[in-house]
Amino acid sequence: MPLIRNFAIIAHIDHGKSTLADRLIQHAGLVPDREFRDQLLDTMDIERERGITIKSQTVALPYTAADGQQYTLNLIDTPGHVDFSYEVSRALASCEGVLLLVDASQGVEAQTLANLYAAMEHDLEVVPVINKIDLPAADIEMAREAIDTELGLDGDDALLCSAKMGTGIEEVMAAVVERLPPPVGDADAPLAALIFDANYDVFRGTIVSMRVMQGTVRAGDVIRTMSNNVTYKVEEVGFFRLEREPRKKLSAGEVGYLIAGIKTVSDTRVGDTITLDKAPAESILAGFTMSKPVVFSSIYPVANDEYPSLVDALEKYSLNDASLEYEKDSSVALGQGFRCGFLGLLHLEIVQERLEREFDQSLIMTVPSVEYRIHLNNGTEIAVDNPAYYPDPVAIDKVEEPYIRASILMPERYMGVVMKLCMERRADNTNFTYPSPGRMEFTAEMPLAEVIFDFYDRLKSVTQGYGSFDYDLIGYRTGDVVKVDILVNSEPVDALSLIVHRENARARALQACEGLREEIPRQQFRIAIQGAIGGKIIARKTINAFRKDVTAKCYGGDISRKRKLLEKQKKGKKRMKMVGNVEIPQKAFVAVLKTNNE
Amino acid sequence: MSDDPDGGAPAGLYVHVPFCHSKCPYCDFFSEVGSGLQSAFVDAALREAEHHAAGRGPFDTLYLGGGTPSVLSPDGLAALVEGLGRVCSFTPDAEITLEVNPDDVTPRVAKLWRELGLNRISVGAQSFNEDELRFLGRRHTAHGALRALEAVREHGPPNLSIDLIYGFCGQSSTSLRESIDSAFSFAPDHLSCYQLTLEPRTVFGRRHARGELQRLGEEEERTCFLIVADAIRSRDFDHYEISNFARTSLVRSRHNQKYWCHTETIGLGPAAHSYRDGRRRWNVTDVADYVERVRGKGDATVGSESLTQKQIRLETLLLGLRTANGISVDFARTIDSGLDIVAALVHEGLVTMGGGRVTPTLQGFLLADGLPLRFDLE
Ligand SMILES: Nc1nc2c(ncn2[C@@H]2O[C@H](COP(=O)(O)OP(=O)(O)OP(=O)(O)O)[C@@H](O)[C@H]2O)c(=O)[nH]1
Ligand code: SF4
Ligand SMILES: [Mg+2]
């Protein structure tokens, strides 16, 4: 067995995982100092802009231990945000151990615990590391204490480091070698490699990220994916070293990539097992349990003829994000699209942004919804996450909606405004604690539906950015919900229907109408925008018609100018959606998702 | 496949005279102030005419516009007009228009213009209200405008058109009506009434951008437009284009209608545009540069565009729906669901149908910029 350690860095969001990864990479001498930039593994623009990790990243570090032995340390940096915990669980499947980071000024937080449990489920060795010891607010003793009591690990075993200042890094490297076990597995056994990630490259096809559990794979081998028995000839295998670094082979215990000219995107499934065609493994490796989506929304291309391109983009995108669920959907107003299930609100945002940026899509997303359990009078129960399938109210006995326990951390002075915000969102069973002087943790039970609608934006704004928000699903409860339809000149815009709490129906309908009123351009006729429950109008706004829209002169040189302006306007029109005879721009569909920050 | 009623009509000749005594703050026409290039310009224009217009024709219109053609000295103007008469051929009844500013008009020059063979004079009076003329930065007074018009009526060519500008802050509906009445006291054959536009590259445009000059509100602009239309229509004038009115349809501006029907026009002079068979080209926007280029090769074209069928159709819509000619029902039929759209527009009161044509109503004129967008020309 070669001298290998496979490990992940896990922690709550912002505790310094990516920064620690930076120091380890530098310590290994992988990048010259002048090419270095902070959070080197956060390679996507969107990660850098938001300062968070979204995708797990693997990098193989060469390391010479104190005993003079040469090791390969496969580091996986993982995201801390709860919406991406699926990324963490897949990373853990290719590791023997983890570094569990705890921010010395924050102590143990929700995802510290959740990720520790995940590591324990995989029977991984855990080394606690207290980070950010350079901070004036660092309280190492408190952190050790929390590791003891809240995590049930030995606080005295925790390493101390400052990823930012680069202190304690050699100790961390040494501990990886000394305290984490090497991989086991027979390099001569039949090949069994677990696909834990993939992405699509236009030139080379699907690039598979995998952990070899047993056996060996070389360029030239014919491999087979075991779930669907598709075979390919291997073109290249190698390590991740910031860039891909080709090797002759990958053997048991190693983590790396495989390229086999896989151009059919659907042939590759994350969680599948790769084996050799002529000497297959006996059994498929245990894959990953899918995480259940909690937020749903439909996506449509802005222009109808871009649908095929969206199909292709989604297929390729989902290679790289196995947690996205989607199925065909269609709307009278928006044409063909997809109903998607997301692991949370941030996930929804990221999917939209990545599709737009990396795959050049222009999208319209419908109002996010949760999944309701609807009990019908005839005794059956159905699950509905799409307003389009909301049953006729007369057939409904009762509706249940998902509840969460929200946890909000903030400086004490924001207590009043946060409390008010939560009460508006039907918070119940509220509670608060003081985890440290001046800081307050507020918990409350709330309908999930109340937070998927702009709650986070509002929280950020009332706490001036100081509030952080996290939640757990705690089950279903009965709720008084109704479906609100939005009509434009009496035509219902199916994609704008909402399922909301009855108390909020009027306010939400008005907001939607107002959003549309602001974004739908004036036209040559009057436009009525209405919100309705069943046949009953509960909100109304009007867009007045143009009264005068004509320029005075049109002679020789003016004609081209006028024509060009019309051509531009016509092009813009093509990207609008027609509802009856009214043109609705993409922005209007987005506006419905926003509230005025009041 | 265009819808040009006088597609086969004779071509028109335009000369852009690029000089003004001073620059009006609202004007974005190309002109230079205090230029010493008048006679060089006349020579160049004639040279350009030899190059572009000699073999064409006969033309049934000549339009001397600008700028301010009346800035030219009597000799310069005579040289230009007589020169064009030698170089190009015109039909016997050709419409020959000269744009003039009131401050250039005297009984003597008015007589001279008639003797030169000009038969239509367009006087840039703009308003007959002292305050408004000052606001518009015009050189003449209300009194000067009246005197100029008297001189033209008494000594000048027979056919008179008067230009007015309206629709700005400070103008009352009374003064607007009074200006129209004043114009009518000269029994004009034609009126062009332009709602003031704050063009970006003008003094007014810049003042507007700085917030120092307000545009009228939409409702007020609409009211002004209706006052003008009503006042002039009530005198039985023919409202044949958004901003143009003729005593009878026989005295519509024959030349300007060519622009709206895709008829061939040749434009001489700096910044002038020419159109022929789906191709539009334009000259350099600088007098010295123009003179130099024409001296070299008889041509000062700096840009051109060849219109696709689709673009011609779009222009047909946009131009047609600005005029009382409208578009033909046959043309509407060639547009995808064109007749359905026409029906909707009829229902909305924006057009009427009759005599095989779809013509905009007064309400249609008010919304003319948006009308072509209602049709799908794909
Ligand atoms: N003072 C101090 N700041 C640190 C230290 N380590 C990380 N940070 C800062 O903490 C912030 C978050 O660091 P990241 O490395 O992006 O945290 P992360 O755990 O990777 O965050 P996610 O990937 O979003 O979960 C950054 O501003 C870092 O500069 C440290 O040791 N000391
Ligand atoms: S409005 Fe007439 S006179 Fe005034 S600058 Fe323009 S072209 Fe010259
Ligand atoms: Mg990170």
Side-chain angles (χ1 to χ4, degrees):
Chain A
M1 200 69 203
L3 298 170
I4 298 175
R5 295 292 182 275
N6 299 309
F7 71 104
I9 310 178
I10 58 174
H12 190 78
I13 190 164
D14 269 358
H15 281 205
K17 297 174 291 294
S18 302
T19 308
L20 177 60
D22 284 350
R23 294 294 92 76
L24 298 179
I25 290 166
Q26 280 181 312
H27 194 271
L30 232 51
V31 236
D33 280 347
R34 69 191 143 73
E35 281 170 30
F36 190 79
R37 54 177 193 175
D38 285 343
Q39 282 94 32
L40 195 67
L41 293 181
D42 290 343
T43 46
M44 285 192 280
D45 290 342
I46 175 170
E47 292 180 309
R48 304 200 66 82
E49 279 160 24
R50 293 176 180 241
I52 56 167
T53 304
I54 290 163
K55 284 290 296 175
S56 288
Q57 287 285 347
T58 307
V59 58
L61 306 174
Y63 174 66
T64 311
D67 58 8
Q69 301 252 49
Q70 282 284 344
Y71 284 83
T72 298
L73 309 185
N74 283 311
L75 168 164
I76 306 182
D77 178 30
T78 65
H81 193 282
V82 57
D83 281 14
F84 308 116
S85 50
Y86 187 63
E87 285 286 317
V88 182
S89 73
R90 280 182 296 115
L92 296 179
S94 40
C95 295
E96 279 74 43
V98 297
L99 299 177
L100 176 64
L101 250 58
V102 176
D103 182 325
S105 68
Q106 302 292 327
V108 168
E109 296 191 71
Q111 290 306 304
T112 321
L113 212 64
N115 286 329
L116 170 67
Y117 290 153
M120 294 188 346
E121 256 169 51
H122 283 83
D123 283 330
L124 304 187
E125 192 63 39
V126 178
V127 174
V129 179
I130 299 173
N131 185 34
K132 304 200 189 181
I133 56 168
D134 61 294
L135 283 178
D139 185 342
I140 295 170
E141 280 323 302
M142 183 252 341
R144 283 196 203 280
E145 177 73 26
I147 291 171
D148 269 337
T149 57
E150 295 177 46
L151 300 182
L153 301 170
D154 188 348
D156 291 329
D157 274 356
L159 301 171
L160 298 181
C161 84
S162 162
K164 186 162 184 190
M165 314 307 289
T167 42
I169 301 304
E170 171 57 29
E171 287 77 356
V172 171
M173 287 265 208
V176 168
V177 169
E178 284 156 25
R179 288 170 60 177
L180 301 184
V184 291
D186 180 357
D188 299 321
L191 176 68
L194 180 66
I195 302 179
F196 66 84
D197 202 357
N199 69 294
Y200 192 82
D201 181 292
V202 202
F203 301 108
R204 311 219 54 187
T206 301
I207 298 174
V208 169
S209 302
M210 61 178 195
R211 156 75 194 258
V212 184
M213 296 302 181
Q214 60 173 42
T216 298
V217 59
R218 297 177 172 77
D221 285 346
V222 174
I223 51 153
R224 186 202 302 172
T225 41
M226 292 181 74
S227 73
N228 50 6
N229 279 316
V230 179
T231 57
Y232 279 100
K233 190 163 173 200
V234 179
E235 292 170 5
E236 185 180 314
V237 294
F239 283 172
F240 294 105
R241 270 240 159 100
L242 300 178
E243 306 284 300
R244 292 193 298 265
E245 186 178 292
R247 318 280 295 186
K248 286 207 179 63
K249 58 175 183 158
L250 288 177
S251 294
E254 291 185 312
V255 174
Y257 68 88
L258 176 146
I259 297 173
I262 308 172
K263 298 280 184 176
T264 310
V265 177
S266 58
D267 281 356
T268 308
R269 258 166 251 171
V270 168
D272 203 352
T273 303
I274 291 178
T275 191
L276 287 184
D277 189 43
K278 61 178 193 300
E282 264 174 25
S283 59
I284 277 191
L285 298 166
F288 306 103
T289 25
M290 277 306 286
S291 39
K292 247 181 90 54
V294 291
V295 178
F296 303 83
S297 162
S298 298
I299 60 181
Y300 295 92
V302 169
N304 288 343
D305 56 2
E306 285 163 13
Y307 176 73
S309 148
L310 176 61
V311 175
D312 185 57
L314 262 181
E315 216 178 28
K316 286 174 181 159
Y317 171 79
S318 67
L319 255 190
N320 197 239
D321 178 3
S323 63
L324 174 69
E325 285 188 4
Y326 62 94
E327 61 185 33
K328 283 205 164 94
D329 194 8
S330 72
S331 141
V332 181
L334 300 177
Q336 280 184 295
F338 290 93
R339 189 73 184 168
C340 300
F342 306 92
L343 300 186
L345 282 175
L346 180 62
H347 187 216
L348 174 150
E349 252 179 66
I350 298 293
V351 170
Q352 175 178 17
E353 242 184 275
R354 287 188 65 192
L355 282 170
E356 292 187 336
R357 289 179 173 203
E358 295 168 33
F359 297 90
D360 219 13
Q361 301 293 303
S362 300
L363 301 176
I364 292 173
M365 291 197 102
T366 63
V367 184
S369 170
V370 300
E371 186 172 271
Y372 295 90
R373 288 187 189 153
I374 302 180
H375 301 261
L376 300 176
N377 290 329
N378 64 12
T380 55
E381 184 195 315
I382 56 172
V384 171
D385 64 54
N386 188 341
Y389 302 120
Y390 197 80
D392 185 343
V394 299
I396 298 177
D397 174 25
K398 66 167 183 174
V399 180
E400 289 182 299
E401 60 176 328
Y403 264 67
I404 56 164
R405 180 171 295 104
S407 143
I408 297 162
L409 268 170
M410 67 201 150
E412 201 179 358
R413 61 181 180 280
Y414 297 115
M415 180 62 195
V417 283
V418 168
M419 184 85 174
K420 178 163 172 284
L421 173 64
C422 292
M423 297 317 284
E424 284 166 16
R425 306 298 171 109
R426 294 190 280 142
D428 200 6
N429 280 334
T430 57
N431 200 351
F432 42 87
T433 56
Y434 292 89
S436 58
R439 280 182 73 74
M440 170 168 261
E441 181 177 16
F442 175 78
T443 57
E445 295 173 2
M446 294 164 74
L448 175 62
E450 293 290 340
V451 306
I452 63 172
F453 181 66
D454 87 332
F455 177 77
Y456 196 54
D457 287 346
R458 298 276 293 120
L459 177 71
K460 282 279 173 209
S461 105
V462 300
T463 63
Q464 290 157 319
Y466 287 104
S468 75
F469 165 67
D470 205 352
Y471 65 87
D472 289 310
L473 284 173
I474 53 174
Y476 273 76
R477 293 182 190 171
T478 306
D480 186 11
V481 302
V482 290
K483 179 187 173 190
V484 173
D485 289 313
I486 304 295
L487 305 114
V488 171
N489 272 358
S490 306
E491 298 259 353
V493 189
D494 55 358
L496 292 181
S497 295
L498 330 150
I499 304 172
V500 291
H501 197 257
R502 189 183 301 275
E503 270 174 23
N504 299 341
R506 215 182 98 77
R508 288 289 304 276
L510 266 175
Q511 271 163 13
C513 292
E514 179 57 25
L516 289 177
R517 194 186 67 76
E518 277 171 19
E519 295 299 343
I520 296 178
R522 273 198 300 159
Q523 295 176 28
Q524 295 193 326
F525 41 83
R526 213 167 113 102
I527 302 167
I529 303 167
Q530 297 165 310
I533 301 177
K536 191 168 158 258
I537 305 297
I538 56 166
R540 183 191 170 94
K541 297 271 170 179
T542 310
I543 300 175
N544 287 323
F546 271 117
R547 299 281 289 163
K548 183 225 165 220
D549 176 28
V550 60
T551 39
K553 290 190 178 179
C554 191
Y555 299 109
D558 305 323
I559 301 172
S560 308
R561 220 184 320 150
K562 269 194 177 308
R563 190 199 70 238
K564 283 180 188 149
L565 177 65
L566 283 171
E567 284 170 342
K568 208 172 117 198
Q569 291 170 321
K570 284 202 178 266
K571 224 163 145 189
K573 232 177 101 143
K574 261 179 130 174
R575 301 178 73 79
M576 301 220 200
K577 301 294 178 183
M578 288 300 285
V579 171
N581 55 351
V582 180
E583 294 147 16
I584 306 186
Q586 177 199 22
K587 275 193 294 188
F589 290 91
V590 180
V592 174
L593 304 181
K594 297 246 159 31
T595 49
N596 35 356
N597 267 5
E598 229 293 292
Chain B
M1 268 275 281
S2 79
D3 181 47
D4 305 326
D6 8 309
L13 186 62
Y14 173 78
V15 182
H16 189 84
V17 182
F19 308 110
C20 290
H21 291 302
S22 63
K23 195 75 206 168
C24 304
Y26 56 85
C27 171
D28 77 340
F29 288 131
F30 170 66
S31 67
E32 293 181 2
V33 174
S35 168
L37 290 171
Q38 260 98 321
S39 68
F41 159 75
V42 170
D43 292 346
L46 292 175
R47 173 91 215 278
E48 195 193 6
E50 275 168 24
H51 187 88
H52 280 297
R56 303 275 179 74
F59 298 99
D60 69 348
T61 64
L62 169 62
Y63 196 103
L64 305 174
T68 316
S70 55
V71 163
L72 293 179
S73 67
D75 288 351
L77 186 67
L80 179 62
V81 173
E82 286 166 4
L84 288 172
R86 273 194 305 277
V87 174
C88 314
S89 71
F90 292 91
T91 59
D93 69 335
E95 171 195 278
I96 302 180
T97 308
L98 178 73
E99 279 185 344
V100 306
N101 268 348
D103 50 326
D104 291 325
V105 183
T106 60
R108 197 175 66 82
V109 290
K111 193 158 158 258
L112 206 120
W113 293 334
R114 198 182 55 199
E115 287 163 6
L116 261 180
L118 310 176
N119 52 26
R120 188 169 182 271
I121 296 289
S122 167
V123 180
Q126 317 309 4
S127 167
F128 293 92
N129 176 295
E130 221 61 80
D131 293 337
E132 291 176 14
L133 286 169
R134 210 168 307 124
F135 168 78
L136 292 171
R138 299 293 294 180
R139 293 161 53 85
H140 61 271
T141 59
H143 179 67
L146 296 173
R147 276 212 341 240
L149 283 160
E150 280 161 15
V152 170
R153 261 314 183 210
E154 202 165 321
H155 306 283
N159 195 327
L160 171 66
S161 176
I162 299 174
D163 277 9
L164 295 177
I165 297 180
Y166 69 94
F168 39 88
C169 293
Q171 183 184 47
S172 68
S173 52
T174 316
S175 77
L176 174 55
R177 286 200 182 91
E178 282 169 0
S179 279
I180 295 171
D181 290 344
S182 300
F184 271 104
S185 69
F186 296 95
D189 304 279
H190 188 276
L191 286 170
S192 297
C193 300
Y194 299 110
Q195 188 133 22
L196 180 70
T197 310
L198 303 178
E199 302 287 354
R201 274 173 306 234
T202 62
V203 172
F204 274 5
R206 286 189 288 273
R207 281 174 55 192
H208 175 62
R210 287 198 299 267
E212 297 164 9
L213 181 66
Q214 298 306 315
R215 187 182 158 176
L216 282 192
E218 187 179 349
E219 207 55 47
E220 293 162 300
E221 286 194 350
R222 174 184 153 91
T223 306
C224 291
F225 184 89
L226 292 175
I227 289 175
V228 170
D230 183 57
I232 306 177
R233 284 175 173 216
S234 72
R235 276 137 161 145
D236 276 340
F237 266 50
D238 169 29
H239 191 175
Y240 71 102
E241 196 256 3
I242 307 279
S243 307
N244 286 284
F245 304 81
R247 188 169 43 76
T248 72
S249 58
L250 296 175
V251 286
R252 289 177 176 185
S253 163
R254 191 192 286 169
H255 183 81
N256 283 338
Q257 289 188 97
K258 295 189 188 295
Y259 296 121
W260 306 325
C261 299
H262 281 140
T263 308
E264 176 175 352
T265 49
I266 292 176
L268 307 175
H273 282 61
S274 302
Y275 179 86
R276 186 190 187 202
D277 288 345
R279 184 163 172 273
R280 191 171 283 124
R281 58 173 188 87
W282 49 92
N283 284 346
V284 67
T285 308
D286 181 282
V287 182
D289 196 349
Y290 167 78
V291 167
E292 193 167 319
R293 281 169 195 258
V294 174
R295 267 191 196 135
K297 32 180 193 123
D299 172 63
T301 307
V302 288
S304 70
E305 59 181 3
S306 283
L307 304 183
T308 62
Q309 265 316 308
K310 200 170 124 190
Q311 288 174 319
I312 292 179
R313 286 161 59 79
L314 180 57
E315 288 192 358
T316 300
L317 262 183
L318 100 83
L319 296 170
L321 293 173
R322 288 179 62 90
T323 69
N325 268 337
I327 55 171
S328 70
V329 174
D330 287 339
F331 176 71
R333 215 188 300 276
T334 66
I335 300 172
D336 192 24
S337 22
L339 292 184
D340 295 344
I341 295 158
V342 168
L345 294 176
V346 168
H347 179 74
E348 292 166 35
L350 302 181
V351 302
T352 54
M353 275 224 269
R357 302 203 67 86
V358 179
T359 40
T361 59
L362 191 55
Q363 297 302 318
F365 273 166
L366 270 165
L367 300 178
D369 279 8
L371 286 178
L373 291 170
R374 301 287 293 274
F375 293 88
D376 185 4
L377 281 176
E378 284 320 300

